[in-house]
Amino acid sequence: MVTRTDAPTRREQILKEAARLFAERGFHGVGVDEIGAAVGISGPGLYRHFAGKDAMLAELLVGISGQLLTGAKRRLAEAGGRTDPAAVLDSLIEGHIDFALDDRPLITLHDRELDRLRDSDRKLVRQLQRQYVELWVEVLREVYPALLEPAARSAVHSVFGLLNSTPHLGRPGALPGRGVTAVLLHRMARGAFEAAADGD
């Protein structure tokens, strides 16, 4: 993944704090003034960046779905057909683990607040997610050719459920080191895929 070295924009700061506050207290439990205070501007000042809380929520949930898909496509492009399919699968797992550990509030937001999006935004989230799943299914079936497509899709959804459980693992400081947690999640994901292939 590309590592940013420049400072986040004000818009990015607002989104980060909005995600944190929405995840902690719920979408309706947070006011515009609180989000503004978290980034050092007045509540009304937020309207220079967003039309309102609904727009922030939409950008957060549509945005992360798009980022996951873009990141996965980039990992496949970097492999360029020269890498062992198992290594590509490992790369996809690593990318999703990065998301699961670094963007835990967005997982909580998705679980709790997706239904609050406008129909068009919710449909876009679902469309991006389906493309992301199908990309994984294709790679998984290259690693385990005998795995039937429905079983592969079920396995991918199961692994996403496992990796996206990070908000329930306790506060970030309560987890073992990030590296240890990432290795454990990776092993569990690969184990789940292997179990699915063995049981097909």
Side-chain angles (χ1 to χ4, degrees), residues 84-102:
D84 173 24
V88 177
L89 180 61
D90 285 334
S91 181
L92 290 176
I93 293 170
E94 289 164 9
H96 199 97
I97 288 172
D98 285 342
F99 156 68
L101 292 177
D102 297 338

Side-chain angles (χ1 to χ4, degrees), residues 85-144:
V88 177
L89 180 61
D90 285 334
S91 181
L92 290 176
I93 293 170
E94 289 164 9
H96 199 97
I97 288 172
D98 285 342
F99 156 68
L101 292 177
D102 297 338
D103 293 303
R104 293 167 70 187
L106 292 177
I107 297 172
T108 300
L109 267 190
H110 180 276
D111 290 346
R112 291 182 187 166
E113 312 290 357
L114 181 63
D115 288 344
R116 298 193 189 284
L117 293 181
R118 294 179 307 173
D119 286 346
S120 59
D121 289 327
R122 188 166 56 251
K123 287 177 182 176
L124 179 54
V125 168
R126 294 299 193 198
Q127 178 186 4
L128 293 166
Q129 290 174 341
R130 281 194 298 272
Q131 292 177 45
Y132 184 59
V133 168
E134 293 310 309
L135 188 150
W136 278 65
V137 168
E138 183 178 338
V139 173
L140 184 60
R141 294 191 70 210
E142 290 180 16
V143 178
Y144 303 105

Side-chain angles (χ1 to χ4, degrees), residues 2 6 24 27-28 43 51 57 73 76 92 109-110 112 124 141 163 170 177 187:
V2 177
D6 52 328
E24 287 177 359
F27 180 74
H28 287 304
L57 182 63
K73 287 180 175 178
L76 263 66
L92 290 176
L109 267 190
H110 180 276
R112 291 182 187 166
L124 179 54
R141 294 191 70 210
L163 299 180
R187 288 176 179 169

